[in-house]
Structures are given as structure tokens and as C-alpha cells.
Amino acid sequence: MKPAGQCPAPRLTQGEETRGFRVRRIEAVDDIGSTAYEMEHLATGAKILHLHANDSENLFAVGFRTPPGDSTGIAHILEHSVLAGSERYPVKDAFNELSRATLQTFINAFTYPDKTLYPVASQVPVDFFNLARVYADLVFKPRILKETFLQEGHHLEFAGSGDPGGDLTVSGIVYNEMKGAYSSPDGLMYKALQQNLFPENPYGFDSGGDPEVIPQLTWEQLREFHRLYYSPTNAYFFLYGNIPPEDHLAFLDDVLRGFDRVRVESAIGLQPRWKKPHSVSNCYPVSKGESLARKTAVNLAWMMAENTDAEEVLLLRVASHALVGTAAGPLRKALIDSGLGEDLSPVTGLESDLRQVVFAVGLRGSDPDKAGAIEEKILGTLKSVAQKGFERALVEAALHQVEFQGREIVRGAYPYGITLMSRVFHTWLYDGDPLVPLKFNPLINRIRNRLEKDPELFQGVIRRWFLDNPHRITSVMEPRHSCMEESEAKFRQQMAQLQATLSAEDRAKIREEASRLKELQSQPDSPEALSTLPRLSRSDIPREVERIPSEEGRLADIPVLKHEIFSNGIVYLDCAFDVSRVPEELQPCLPLMGKFARGMGAAGRRYDEMATRISMTMGGLGVQMASGFGRDGKETWQKMIFRMRALRRNIPEAVTLLGDILAEGDLTDHRRMEDLVLEKRNGLHAAVIPSGHLFAQRTAASKLTLASLRDEQWNGLIQLRLLSALAGRFEADPLVETMERLRKLVLHRSGLVLNVTGDAAGIDLLLSELGRLTERIGDKAPGTATTSMVAAPLHLGIAIAAQVCYVAQVADAPGYFDPSSAALTVLSRELSKGYLYNRIRVQGGAYGGMSLYDPLGRIFSFLSYRDPHLVETLKVYDEAVRWLLDAGVSETELEKTIIGTIGSLDRPADPAGKGYLAMVRHFAGIFDAERQGFRDRVLGLCPEDLLKAAQGVLLPALKSSSVAVYAGEERLKQANDTLSEKLIIEPLAG
Ligand SMILES: [Zn+2]
């Protein structure tokens, strides 16, 4: 990915008609270095927006307005179903085929409350058009077979297949996916607000699907929904990247040929404004033994301005940031200081993926009887802000954050084009100007001008949209032990009733349908069907690895890595401190030390003053823990990395600030320390269910290697238990002592590595300032503790309040420099996209099943996500390698997997990500020549190499592997009835 700042010269003329399209508008969008073309397909009315930019990661996305009329998950199930083959590409799972056998750098589909989007990205033009062609055909001409509906949506089956006495139950991929979503308190909290704030428009329903309602959906309704909304007339094509607009038009001309304009009624209606506020209360499940005290969340939410009014929405964004965006925000502060709850609720902030934007704020870790007091506290604080106004620094900090976020090139899990696409749809979907959300500088300037003339501008905003706006809801979300049991009992009762009414014929029909489905699922696609998909040839694959510019230097005695990369005026600094000598018992405390450094006061200033300074001068400051194997495959590097981002003009101030934080951190405000502990505990606790597979993986790996143990101590179960223990019995003094000891052990110059990323001017400026920073920290490394460990596999079941399971099996595997690493990389992908995908997702009904090989962490894992099964899944893992050895791997199959592997190796990173990656490679001792060697080995693999690695490396490694399962306690106990190797069952946290 190489975005450069200049907008490409226009290649079409405004108003011209070409190839059946009208070019309605051409405009340079300087803020993001793109030339925008807004176009329309004359025959169908399809809307097209192309952002032509100097970025090789091209993005194609087609979207539709898909307002649901109920909570059956119709839009979501359709999203899954169209990806299962079209007339032209009659394969069972086109999505899986594309994702495994192309150079895609991103492929996915998203269902929102009012739209469905199908984005795909690639850096290779021929691959890009292959992907876009198949994607377009899938959405416009899908097969939507009955079996697809049954598999993706829902179907009835008798538990324990074949047994006539088994209980009737419901299965389906979306059905299980949403059961997982309905186990997450955060997800439920957001649903409660959105659905109750918009009772009279589509947002009143769950477009994802409510598990209790999903079984009402019929196949016929699903097909009708497709006919209604998936026409070119209702389509929005979003294109981004360096492919010129005329190539896109030639392609779209082909895709849209033969379609006519149709009548579509898909406009998202406005929710009428209320005359008085409402309130609502709901519950979420918690495990049986867990206490209910301080587990309630109380939220307030308002329906606010229309998204198309970009200036008003920006005012709200600034107000939201000033109120709750930092520790200095008066609303955040008032709520935390009130002691009415533990920390801010995760729904806090502005939600703008809806026609009318929503602001929500609240506390979690509270109790139901405090709801009234919380509401009063929120309204009272807003009243006082409306009277006194914000401190000017808070408004400046918020404007700076808006500018920074608008400017920064971000490519994390999603391509940069996806970020731009999301912004565009905020107005485009509601017939507004799609470019307005991209032009943040003019908007910021207008707001500054208004603020100049009217210093009470934001007081007006608070009155208009908060105090004088009765369209508000108060939501209380309580924990309940019986919540899950009640819904399960209700479900069992429904099923029993249904079962009682079934005739012998009905039962036979259900069994027949279920077994036909299983039969179909186990049959592979025919070679003829597979050959309809476009294939790349080996010559289409770039041979060379991408090299990240890296230069090693020194600043006095400290090593400095420099990466000169275009970054749109932003400079990135990583300060990586060595923590490998921190004694074992203190290792789990390191993340808290980082949290305190970032969140407490420093250099004589209180924490809230520091928060405002950080927000005014930095784009962000994070602290990350990381570890992995060094070049020798024995030593483990272990780092605490302070990561700072700043606009070039703010570098001097940002360096001073970071120096204050590193050298003069203040640990005297014990009340603040406790708040930070609670915030961190709640954040990590809430992450368990949404990423249960990763928690299970960490736990399983924790006794295998030192790097994995660190991961578990810093980010996993050990960390969560430490935080829970501290939160339950907070005593400041011993903690202060520990933290002071840790600061001495960690924050010094020996072992420190500086990593700098940005354009040349930014790097030079930063380096000229950095001396002031390093002078302020100590130079001696006290402490000499080192840890080595002996692998000891474990079998653990962690009880959580979820209706689904997360099953992990992890083995110690060879590292990056081992001759088998290339084969293992391809092998894990082959198993993921083939056997595991089929057995765990397609046949098992889990949302996901995969294997992952991490050559830097030296582990090989099998994982399942939102899985209805446990014992069966372990059995699937057990048979995986044997299955592969028996089935073998064909040349064609291997070629597809190799192409997909290269695509994933080539996944582009953003400037910050590139700099970070280069630093990690430096720690791991991996040079570009070796990366090229690894790539060459991947490209040169033959089927025998794969089988040899499976037989000779993976099978023996799996013999001493660890298992960890995160699931409901009852499920774990049940599993132990049949498992030969019993799981030791433990609660999540005390
Ligand atoms: Zn889904």
C-alpha cells in the first residue's frame, strides 16, 4: 500500500456520458489525496463512487439498502446465503473458495441495521477484477438454494442423529452466531438502546437476528427479500485505489448489462421524535456461582441529528469527545467520581451508522437501585456544562482528535478503503452528499469560525441535543442467573410442544431433510463447478517480498530504527523497553504499570490535566506488551512498548509530554488507581465472550512456551484473575510499592530500542527532539531475574456464561527458521479452509473453526468460535491430520492454498503497522533475505512436502498438546462424562 498525498489528475469530464454511465461530479478531496468520481448507470440508476488514489490496495464494494421488517435476521441470513453460489458460479461456498484461493487482502460481508455491504480488496489488478466479477454475480444472481437457507439460517433436527427418541432442536450458522451475540452483555446493551430508541423504523428490529425469532423465517421470504432489495437500482458501488476510473466503468458496464431500472422502496424512514423520555429494563446471563452485586449497567441514550447534516454531526462529535472522550471530560469525570458504578459503559459515545445519530453514556459495575441517581448525575452534569461551557482546552483537544483521525492512514484488520467507505455511507445511504464526511478540514474551519463569533456554541449544542431533547431512553441491564436457563427452558418447552404435535410423517420429513443436508454438506463441489471460478496462474503472483524501508542508527547509546514511509503528516514513535529481567511474580503486573503510566498524573499535573494535554498534542498514546522468540529459537524477547502518534507540528510538545510520563509519573492519587484497575478489569472481562477462541488459545498455550505464558499473564486469564483479585480488595499501598519497583526495573536506557516511522522531515524533527527524552530516564538496569520453563501440557475447562463453546487445542511447533515452517504455514491454511471449515462450521453449525500456525510464537492451534459442540469438536481436531494424510492433497488444491497463503503474507499494513512489523522482525532476527527464502519455499511446495510436515512434524507435536475450553459449566461437566482425558474445571475469575 503506497498512498501518496497528491490527488491524481482527472481522467473523465464532469457531465460526460461514457459506456452507459453519466459522470455527475468530479472533485479533488485533498484531505485524503483522492480524486472523487460520482457516477450513475443510466439504464438502472446504480450509484457509483470512485475515490481514485495512489494506493495499490484497491477496494471494490457493492452495497444495498436492506431495511428489515422483523427480527428474523433476514438481511443477515441473506448476506450469508448469496455467498453460497450463483448461476454462473454454482459452487456450494463461493465465499470460502474466493477467500482461500485468491490474492485477496480482504474479503467479507457486513449486515448493518439498514444496509448490507460486500467489500473485497486486492493489490493485483487481475485478481481484483476476478474477485469483483464473482462478488457482483453472487449478489445479483445468487442461487439461494433451500439447503443453503437451512444451513445458514435454521433447520430442525433430532439430537443424536438417527436416534428416533432424540430431542428436537434448531441448528444453523447464523442461529448459532446470534446465540453467541446474545450471550455478550455489551452486545445486548447496545441492542437494547438502538431497538428501543427507534420503535417505529427498521432500527427497532435486529437485522442480525434474534435467536428466538430466527426460526420463524421461511425460505420464500428470504428469496422475496432478495428480489426486493438486491437490484442495481438499489445498489451503491464504492471503489477505491489506483485503478483508473475508466477501467472500473468498462468492468461495471459488463456487470450491469441486461439489468433495467426497477421500482424500489428502500428509503430508511425517520423515527418520529418523542415528546417525553422512555425507560426500559433487560437482563443478561451470568454464571450460577457469580455474585450479582455491582454487575448492572445503566445507560442513557438520545436520538439526535440527521447524519446528512454533516456540520451538526461534527459539532456532536466534538461535544461527545469533550464530554466523555478523555479522563478530563466533565461527564466522564462526574460519573466515575460519583462512585455509582465502576467505569463507563462500553456503549458510551456517538454512534453514526444510523440515519439519526445516537449518543449514549452510562456506567457499568452498578446496581439497579442506583439507576435514578445515575440519570440525575448525567442530566445534572449536562446542565452545568450548558451553563458554564467547556474549558477551551477540551474543545481544542476534541478538534485536534477529529483532524488527526481524518488525516491518519489506518489499515489494521481492515483496508484503508474500508475506513473511507464507512464514512461515505454515513451520508450517501440517506441521499446526502457522500464526500462531505471525507472533507474534515473545511468542516473544522467552519466550526472554528462559528466558535470565534459565538463562544457559547457548544453550550447551545448541549441544550439543543441533550437537555431540550426528550427523545431519550434510560436502559437498565441487570445480570440474572436464570436468564439463560429461562430462555433455554422456554426453548425446550417450545420444542417439546412442537415435537408432540408432529406426526410420524413430519418426523420422517425432518429427519430426511436433515440427513439430506448432511449428505450435501459432505459432498465436495464437482471439478466442473469449481472450474467456473476464475483462477490466477503462478505467473500472476508477485515473486518478491515487500521490503519495509529500515535504517539502523543510534541516539547516544540507544539503538534507533528508522522507517521512512509516507504517513500524511503524522509521525510514529515506539519506545520498546526490555522486561525480560523482571522477576516472574511481577510479570502479570506489567500491563497495570503501563495503564498507570498512561492514565495517572505526571510532572506535578493531575491525571485529568494530563489527559487533556495528551489529547491536544498526540493522536494517541498506547502501551503494548509483546514477546516472541529470538533468532536462536531459544531466547524469548519480552518488551513493554510505549507507542505514540503525533502530527508533525506537535512533535516538540509531544516529546516533552512523553518524557513527563516516563520520568515523572505520579502514583499518589490512589482513588484514580482504583478506578483504572476497575476499568481494566471490566474491559478485559467483557472481551472474553466476543473473543473466546483467543482466550482459549492463550490458556491452552500458556504452559508450552515462555512467550505464550507471557501472553496469558499480560492479556489472558492470569491477567483477568489478577485484576479481579485487585478489584475485589483494593489496597493502594502494596500496589504503589510494586509499581515503583517495576518502574525502576523497566524504565531505563539499557535494553531500550527506539523505533521511528514517518516522512523524512518528521523523522528528522523527532530525532532532534528525542535526546531531551532519553536524558530524563535512568541508564542502569537493576535486577537480573530470568525465567526458563519446561513445557507441561494441560487440560482445562473455564466456566463462562455462554450458550456456545470455544474449544482450543494447541501444540508446541517449530519456529520460523525451521525447514518445515513454510509447509506448516500452508498446512494450517489447508486444514482451516478445507477440513475444519467443513466439519466445524458447515456440518457442526459453529460460526468458525480454524487452525493457526504462529512461527514467531512457535505454536500450532486448532480453534473453534461460537461452537454448539465440544466433545465432537475435539474429536474433529483429533482426526484432522489423519484425515489429511488419508485424503491427500491434490496439485490443484495445493496451488489454490499457496495463492491464498501468499495473499495473506502480502496483506498490506498502514505506516504505523509497517514500522511496528519491522521492529518485531528486528527483535526476532528475521532479515528480508530470509523472508524471501520463506516465500520461495511456500511457492515451491509440492503435495508431498505438506504430507511430510503433517506426518513428521505436526502429528508428533499434537501428541503432547494442551486443551482449553471456555464454555458453560454444565457443558464442561457433561463433556467430562465422555472425555477420556478429563478437563479440570475452573471458574473464569474468583
Ligand atoms: Zn454472520
Side-chain angles (χ1 to χ4, degrees):
M1 151 171 180
K2 300 173 193 74
Q6 298 253 315
C7 303
R11 303 173 66 98
L12 300 169
T13 327
Q14 188 153 320
E16 89 170 88
E17 285 187 14
T18 172
R19 289 182 178 271
F21 296 86
R22 180 180 294 116
V23 182
R24 295 180 50 192
R25 173 185 179 198
I26 303 179
E27 205 174 311
V29 188
D30 295 314
D31 293 347
I32 53 161
S34 298
T35 301
Y37 298 83
E38 215 186 323
M39 302 177 283
E40 189 184 319
H41 186 237
L42 293 166
T44 62
K47 297 166 216 41
I48 298 127
L49 181 70
H50 177 215
L51 299 179
H52 190 206
N54 189 16
D55 184 344
S56 60
E57 189 178 23
N58 284 280
L59 177 84
F60 166 91
V62 54
F64 306 94
R65 291 205 286 221
T66 50
D70 55 41
S71 291
T72 55
I74 191 164
H76 183 191
I77 294 169
L78 184 59
E79 174 229 294
H80 279 238
S81 301
V82 303
L83 299 174
S86 64
E87 295 165 17
R88 204 163 145 195
Y89 307 108
V91 290
K92 286 197 303 184
D93 193 336
F95 177 79
N96 189 42
E97 281 298 319
L98 291 179
S99 75
R100 72 193 296 197
T102 65
L103 291 170
Q104 53 85 13
T105 50
F106 185 81
I107 182 166
N108 213 330
F110 302 115
T111 306
Y112 291 82
D114 54 12
K115 63 179 180 274
T116 310
L117 303 179
Y118 296 85
V120 62
S122 175
Q123 302 183 99
V124 177
V126 50
D127 187 51
F128 171 85
F129 283 115
N130 282 348
L131 287 158
R133 188 174 302 282
V134 180
Y135 243 37
D137 202 64
L138 291 173
V139 297
F140 290 124
K141 295 174 183 168
R143 298 186 296 177
I144 320 185
L145 303 174
K146 178 79 180 278
E147 290 73 21
T148 302
F149 164 73
L150 298 175
Q151 171 182 305
E152 301 295 329
H154 65 89
H155 62 272
L156 289 169
E157 59 186 32
F158 291 103
S161 55
D163 174 16
D167 285 341
L168 197 59
T169 185
V170 175
S171 191
I173 292 175
V174 169
Y175 179 75
N176 284 318
E177 179 188 345
M178 296 315 293
K179 265 173 116 177
Y182 275 72
S183 301
S184 154
D186 292 9
L188 288 171
M189 232 184 272
Y190 185 73
K191 281 181 210 297
L193 295 179
Q194 184 202 302
Q195 290 178 26
N196 289 297
L197 267 183
F198 295 91
E200 288 154 277
N201 84 350
Y203 305 149
F205 302 111
D206 186 350
S207 64
D210 178 341
E212 286 190 15
V213 190
I214 289 174
Q216 292 167 18
L217 182 68
T218 67
W219 178 45
E220 290 73 22
Q221 288 167 335
L222 189 73
R223 294 178 67 94
E224 177 62 8
F225 196 79
H226 178 268
R227 196 188 62 76
L228 279 176
Y229 296 121
Y230 279 47
S231 65
T233 308
N234 191 38
Y236 296 76
F237 289 93
F238 175 86
L239 309 158
Y240 166 79
N242 65 2
I243 291 176
E246 56 273 27
D247 292 7
H248 285 303
L249 290 188
F251 165 76
L252 287 174
D253 176 27
D254 205 29
V255 163
L256 295 172
R257 190 158 302 161
F259 286 102
D260 292 320
R261 195 179 287 263
V262 296
R263 250 181 80 92
V264 188
E265 279 170 40
S266 62
I268 315 303
L270 283 173
Q271 161 66 42
R273 238 163 235 298
W274 296 341
K275 300 255 173 349
K276 60 179 196 344
H278 293 202
S279 65
V280 56
S281 84
N282 300 84
C283 73
Y284 73 90
V286 287
S287 292
K288 250 193 215 142
E290 257 183 85
S291 130
L292 300 181
R294 294 177 79 86
K295 289 218 172 77
T296 295
V298 180
N299 292 302
L300 263 62
W302 290 259
M303 183 182 85
M304 295 181 160
E306 282 193 57
N307 231 329
T308 43
D309 189 349
E311 194 165 326
E312 201 66 19
V313 171
L314 185 62
L315 283 176
L316 286 171
R317 192 169 302 285
V318 172
S320 163
H321 191 278
L323 284 170
V324 293
T326 70
L331 189 50
R332 172 182 288 262
K333 220 163 165 288
L335 282 170
I336 298 290
D337 291 349
S338 74
L340 292 165
E342 289 177 346
D343 73 333
L344 280 207
S345 131
V347 297
T348 298
L350 198 67
E351 168 58 53
S352 41
D353 273 326
L354 303 168
R355 178 159 179 197
Q356 289 146 297
V357 302
V358 168
F359 176 83
V361 64
L363 280 169
R364 66 178 163 189
S366 185
D367 292 299
D369 60 351
K370 304 210 174 88
I374 292 173
E375 187 180 290
E376 263 171 48
K377 180 53 81 181
I378 292 172
L379 297 176
T381 310
L382 288 166
K383 259 184 213 125
S384 117
V385 173
Q387 275 159 16
K388 290 186 261 171
F390 288 110
E391 275 176 49
R392 183 62 193 239
L394 277 177
V395 174
E396 284 303 326
L399 286 168
H400 170 252
Q401 288 301 315
V402 171
E403 180 189 351
F404 192 95
Q405 284 157 19
R407 187 184 280 278
E408 187 175 34
I409 300 162
V410 186
R411 207 280 179 215
Y414 294 158
Y416 183 46
I418 294 273
T419 307
L420 300 177
M421 176 188 82
S422 317
R423 286 184 204 157
V424 161
F425 272 108
H426 288 166
T427 48
W428 204 21
L429 198 77
Y430 314 110
D431 303 321
D433 179 350
L435 301 183
V436 175
L438 302 175
K439 296 187 277 189
F440 53 92
N441 270 324
L443 275 178
I444 292 173
N445 290 339
R446 275 218 291 282
I447 285 179
R448 281 195 194 284
N449 286 339
R450 281 174 68 181
L451 198 55
E452 210 61 52
K453 290 192 201 101
D454 172 16
E456 297 193 1
L457 177 65
F458 284 98
Q459 282 147 276
V461 171
I462 300 295
R463 274 191 290 270
R464 190 156 67 246
W465 294 114
F466 292 84
L467 296 173
D468 301 340
N469 172 11
H471 200 113
R472 182 184 89 215
I473 198 160
T474 303
S475 152
V476 180
M477 182 69 73
E478 285 180 57
R480 203 180 298 157
H481 295 129
S482 55
C483 196
M484 202 156 79
E485 282 158 38
E486 275 166 23
S487 85
E488 276 172 1
K490 194 169 146 200
F491 173 75
R492 274 198 301 274
Q493 201 192 345
Q494 277 172 359
M495 285 294 125
Q497 272 170 7
L498 181 61
Q499 197 160 355
T501 63
L502 293 178
S503 64
E505 225 171 297
D506 294 334
R507 301 165 68 93
K509 206 175 142 224
I510 290 170
R511 262 195 297 277
E512 194 190 294
E513 211 166 59
S515 73
R516 203 173 53 231
L517 184 58
K518 286 262 175 320
E519 163 97 33
L520 265 165
Q521 287 169 337
S522 55
Q523 277 167 11
D525 284 310
S526 71
E528 299 80 61
L530 284 171
S531 70
T532 58
L533 289 168
R535 286 270 173 263
L536 290 177
S537 63
R538 282 192 186 225
S539 62
D540 294 318
I541 303 176
R543 311 298 297 185
E544 301 273 313
V545 290
E546 195 210 358
R547 285 155 211 271
I548 299 171
S550 279
E551 206 186 307
E552 279 181 50
R554 277 192 172 270
L555 188 78
D557 52 341
I558 301 165
V560 182
L561 307 172
K562 291 185 278 189
H563 317 285
E564 192 185 324
I565 296 169
F566 174 79
S567 56
N568 216 10
I570 293 169
V571 189
Y572 300 89
L573 168 68
D574 303 311
C575 302
F577 294 94
D578 178 28
V579 296
S580 62
R581 286 163 190 279
V582 170
E584 199 54 34
E585 72 278 9
L586 292 180
Q587 286 285 347
C589 299
L590 282 167
L592 258 188
M593 182 202 138
K595 177 100 182 159
F596 291 152
R598 167 71 180 75
M600 302 281 293
R605 296 182 195 242
R606 288 164 41 95
Y607 75 88
D608 48 340
E609 294 173 78
M610 287 301 285
T612 308
R613 281 176 78 200
I614 289 173
S615 203
M616 275 174 85
T617 51
M618 296 178 182
L621 174 66
V623 188
Q624 196 168 321
M625 306 299 306
S627 79
F629 285 90
R631 197 176 165 81
D632 65 359
K634 294 189 194 83
E635 291 287 310
T636 302
W637 56 267
Q638 305 166 45
K639 307 281 180 187
M640 173 182 260
I641 307 165
F642 285 78
R643 309 189 64 193
M644 176 191 101
R645 316 171 270 166
L647 294 173
R648 198 190 306 145
R649 65 167 190 265
N650 290 330
I651 286 176
E653 178 61 22
V655 168
T656 305
L657 189 54
L658 183 59
D660 289 348
I661 288 167
L662 293 177
E664 294 183 56
D666 177 0
L667 292 169
T668 52
D669 186 346
H670 298 173
R671 174 69 200 275
R672 173 67 179 163
M673 276 173 92
E674 182 173 9
D675 288 341
L676 290 172
V677 168
L678 290 172
E679 187 182 291
K680 191 161 172 59
R681 195 271 311 258
N682 293 340
L684 194 61
H685 193 270
V688 173
I689 286 186
S691 34
H693 61 314
L694 299 179
F695 274 84
Q697 184 192 30
R698 280 193 197 101
T699 300
S702 64
K703 291 272 166 60
L704 298 177
T705 69
L706 183 54
S708 299
L709 171 64
R710 291 292 178 252
D711 195 20
E712 177 80 333
Q713 288 170 323
W714 295 337
N715 307 306
L717 187 61
I718 297 178
Q719 178 65 208
L720 180 62
R721 287 175 174 171
L722 169 76
L723 292 169
S724 297
L726 286 172
R729 253 189 20 180
F730 187 80
E731 284 177 78
D733 294 339
L735 201 53
V736 170
E737 222 169 89
T738 306
M739 292 301 144
E740 269 166 359
R741 214 177 129 203
L742 275 178
R743 290 184 68 98
K744 284 199 193 84
L745 285 166
V746 175
L747 300 177
H748 51 73
R749 293 209 294 270
S750 61
L752 172 62
V753 174
L754 299 171
N755 189 56
V756 185
T757 309
D759 45 30
I763 292 179
D764 288 346
L765 179 58
L766 180 57
L767 288 178
S768 71
E769 297 283 335
L770 271 179
R772 287 196 291 122
L773 175 92
T774 52
E775 273 166 19
R776 296 178 67 183
I777 50 184
D779 60 353
K780 278 275 178 309
T784 50
T786 49
T787 310
S788 58
M789 63 182 286
V790 186
L794 48 80
H795 279 73
L796 213 53
I798 302 298
I800 56 171
Q803 301 184 44
V804 283
C805 311
Y806 303 88
V807 185
Q809 184 179 356
V810 183
D812 193 350
Y816 188 85
F817 295 101
D818 190 271
S820 66
S821 62
L824 286 173
T825 303
V826 175
L827 187 61
S828 76
R829 211 176 152 85
E830 174 67 32
L831 286 169
S832 280
K833 304 282 176 180
Y835 177 78
L836 294 168
Y837 183 90
N838 269 323
R839 292 293 306 272
I840 294 178
R841 179 174 162 115
V842 178
Q843 296 176 34
Y847 186 58
M850 70 209 89
S851 71
L852 294 174
Y853 167 54
D854 174 7
L856 298 182
R858 259 184 35 194
I859 52 172
F860 193 102
S861 319
F862 291 117
L863 306 175
S864 76
Y865 187 68
R866 292 186 181 169
D867 189 350
H869 303 294
L870 195 173
V871 179
E872 294 83 346
T873 297
L874 285 170
K875 204 159 159 255
V876 170
Y877 295 166
D878 220 34
E879 292 163 359
V881 181
R882 281 265 157 244
W883 180 89
L884 187 91
L885 290 170
D886 290 346
V889 183
S890 70
E891 275 291 350
T892 357
E893 183 80 358
L894 178 63
E895 178 134 340
K896 288 197 293 187
T897 309
I898 288 177
I899 292 172
T901 305
I902 294 289
S904 71
L905 290 177
D906 284 354
R907 188 143 305 159
D910 56 27
K914 281 183 186 170
Y916 186 79
L917 199 59
M919 176 176 68
V920 167
R921 286 181 191 147
H922 172 85
F923 295 147
I926 298 172
F927 302 111
D928 284 342
E930 284 150 343
R931 292 178 49 234
Q932 184 66 50
F934 184 86
R935 186 188 191 86
D936 294 343
R937 279 190 284 139
V938 167
L939 284 168
L941 285 170
C942 63
E944 293 70 56
D945 297 330
L946 229 56
L947 300 180
K948 230 171 76 188
Q951 173 88 53
V953 182
L954 197 50
L955 264 190
L958 285 168
K959 285 218 173 72
S960 53
S961 55
S962 283
V963 170
V965 181
Y966 281 53
E969 195 175 349
E970 286 307 312
R971 286 302 301 273
L972 295 167
K973 284 182 180 156
Q974 266 172 31
N976 271 348
D977 292 343
T978 40
L979 285 176
S980 55
E981 182 113 37
K982 308 285 179 224
L983 300 167
I984 296 168
I985 301 175
E986 293 179 2
L988 182 64

